[in-house]
Amino acid sequence: MTSYYEPIVYDVLPQDEGMLLKTVLQKRLGVSRKLMSRLKLTECGIHLNGKRVYISEKVKGGDRIELRMEKETSDDILPEFIPFDILFEDEHLLIVNKPAGLIVHPTHGHYTGTLANGVVHYWHEKGEQVRFRPVHRLDQDTSGVLCVAKNPYVHQHISEQMIQGTVDKYYIAMVHGHPSPSEGVIEGPIDRDPLEPHRRIVTPDGYPARTLYNMLERYVRGSMVQIKLESGRTHQIRVHMSSIGCPLIGDTFYGVDRLITAEFDLNQAIEVNDWMSRQALHASKLSFTHPITGERVTYIAPLPKDLAQLKQQLESEKEKEVE
């Protein structure tokens, strides 16, 4: 027997009277063409006042529209107990605090030991039938807030918010050196390095990328910086911060050894790198509009233990004044 997620419900407004059901679905509920085609093929997909109808039907004020999506599972992901922190969960969303070192989704050569394996196991234990749908990704060695949608409607809506730039993603990074000015915008197109395909570089022919930064604390041998992404290129923060001479502490791919010149002592920088076993980057805050409630929601992940310890070590040498 087919089972369904809780329906998405919309009560038709008086000003919607006379509209085609299809138009209401697109304009009021934001249903994409792809999802609408999927709902039309589902036996209980689109109902108007409790009855299945064609989307060419005209609606009246007070009519009730219900969208029902079939429950799915990630049968290709093996359930595996993997600890992770849950920041929030409802029937539509799962917000996790991803630990550093954990790959988000199985890839070639990494079929187990990922966050997806852990989440699928968690849902199995709860008896929930849900497919793993991350709305965005974090690098393996980046910790912090990550959003997982529990149905295609929610995934579509948050993805569209990301495209429209209405999702706010904030990071905390510990970097070498001191950004100058202490607050600013980095606009540098990013693309693959032709000599090292796995590496990204700032290049005039790259894809547009924009990063906002603000130095929160200044130390003798580094800075704590808050970063807001306004685009989502691969390795964007690491590439952009390195491009202004402030690579992330612990970053072996875009770190101090990649810089031809530096305003800080290279030997000291290498010593600070030894304090971290990964790049010092944490997704600290995520804000967006909840697709179902329409409320603006914000989720915050505290600094993990390794970054808190690094901060403490850097603070022990903290300069008295921030420029």
Side-chain angles (χ1 to χ4, degrees), residues 188-219:
I190 293 175
D191 206 346
R192 293 181 183 273
D193 185 337
L195 301 178
E196 297 180 67
H198 294 296
R199 176 177 160 82
R200 291 338 190 243
I201 57 172
V202 173
T203 172
D205 298 326
Y207 298 94
R210 181 178 167 93
T211 302
L212 283 64
Y213 72 87
N214 176 31
M215 182 168 63
L216 300 178
E217 295 189 30
R218 177 185 176 117
Y219 313 106

Side-chain angles (χ1 to χ4, degrees), residues 246-262:
C246 295
L248 272 59
I249 293 172
D251 191 343
T252 58
F253 210 37
Y254 301 98
V256 290
D257 58 330
R258 293 280 187 164
L259 298 180
I260 299 174
T261 61

Side-chain angles (χ1 to χ4, degrees), residues 138-142 171-175 186 190 198-202 211 227 229 233-256 258-259 277-282:
L138 293 176
D139 289 346
Q140 179 178 356
D141 289 329
T142 299
Y171 294 76
I172 294 295
M174 301 292 188
V175 304
I186 306 170
I190 293 175
H198 294 296
R199 176 177 160 82
R200 291 338 190 243
I201 57 172
V202 173
T211 302
I227 293 168
L229 285 182
R233 307 303 174 194
T234 301
H235 299 171
Q236 179 173 322
I237 292 174
R238 298 162 68 187
V239 173
H240 270 177
M241 294 310 296
S242 183
S243 74
I244 64 169
C246 295
L248 272 59
I249 293 172
D251 191 343
T252 58
F253 210 37
Y254 301 98
V256 290
R258 293 280 187 164
L259 298 180
S277 59
R278 50 120 174 173
Q279 72 257 12
L281 184 62
H282 177 68

Side-chain angles (χ1 to χ4, degrees), residues 32 39 123 207 256:
S32 67
L39 289 167
W123 282 332
Y207 298 94
V256 290

Side-chain angles (χ1 to χ4, degrees), residues 77-323:
I77 299 176
L78 296 172
E80 182 182 4
F81 174 72
I82 295 173
F84 61 91
D85 294 329
I86 296 174
L87 299 174
F88 173 82
E89 184 176 18
D90 64 13
E91 59 190 289
H92 311 288
L93 293 169
L94 173 67
I95 311 294
V96 306
N97 182 9
K98 186 187 87 69
L102 200 59
I103 295 173
V104 172
H105 202 282
T107 59
H108 180 69
H110 292 278
Y111 301 109
T112 59
T114 72
L115 177 65
N117 298 108
V119 170
V120 168
H121 177 273
Y122 163 72
W123 282 332
H124 278 205
E125 291 296 299
K126 289 180 63 181
E128 287 196 39
Q129 187 178 336
V130 185
R131 181 179 171 187
F132 183 75
R133 283 187 177 86
V135 178
H136 57 112
R137 304 292 177 94
L138 293 176
D139 289 346
Q140 179 178 356
D141 289 329
T142 299
S143 56
V145 186
L146 187 135
C147 175
V148 180
K150 293 175 123 182
N151 64 60
Y153 178 82
V154 170
H155 185 276
Q156 172 212 312
H157 268 257
I158 302 178
S159 297
E160 287 179 355
Q161 289 181 52
M162 295 182 74
I163 293 170
Q164 294 165 3
T166 58
V167 173
D168 292 331
K169 294 186 287 183
Y170 291 91
Y171 294 76
I172 294 295
M174 301 292 188
V175 304
H176 295 285
H178 311 115
S180 180
S182 60
E183 182 176 354
V185 179
I186 306 170
E187 292 191 88
I190 293 175
D191 206 346
R192 293 181 183 273
D193 185 337
L195 301 178
E196 297 180 67
H198 294 296
R199 176 177 160 82
R200 291 338 190 243
I201 57 172
V202 173
T203 172
D205 298 326
Y207 298 94
R210 181 178 167 93
T211 302
L212 283 64
Y213 72 87
N214 176 31
M215 182 168 63
L216 300 178
E217 295 189 30
R218 177 185 176 117
Y219 313 106
V220 173
R221 295 197 282 179
S223 307
M224 181 168 74
V225 181
Q226 178 178 267
I227 293 168
K228 181 184 178 185
L229 285 182
E230 292 201 346
S231 53
R233 307 303 174 194
T234 301
H235 299 171
Q236 179 173 322
I237 292 174
R238 298 162 68 187
V239 173
H240 270 177
M241 294 310 296
S242 183
S243 74
I244 64 169
C246 295
L248 272 59
I249 293 172
D251 191 343
T252 58
F253 210 37
Y254 301 98
V256 290
D257 58 330
R258 293 280 187 164
L259 298 180
I260 299 174
T261 61
E263 295 180 3
F264 41 84
D265 184 279
L266 184 58
N267 290 329
Q268 285 190 352
I270 291 173
E271 180 183 342
V272 172
N273 269 349
D274 289 340
W275 296 348
M276 282 293 292
S277 59
R278 50 120 174 173
Q279 72 257 12
L281 184 62
H282 177 68
S284 58
K285 185 164 70 171
L286 182 68
S287 298
F288 56 88
T289 300
H290 195 296
I292 306 302
T293 67
E295 296 178 357
R296 189 72 181 176
V297 292
T298 299
Y299 305 103
I300 297 173
L303 280 182
K305 185 177 179 180
D306 60 349
L307 277 183
Q309 289 176 340
L310 173 61
K311 182 176 183 291
Q312 188 175 21
Q313 287 175 292
L314 291 169
E315 281 178 333
S316 67
E317 306 174 315
K318 185 177 180 180
E319 295 179 348
K320 293 183 179 179
E321 296 184 1
V322 176
E323 294 184 355

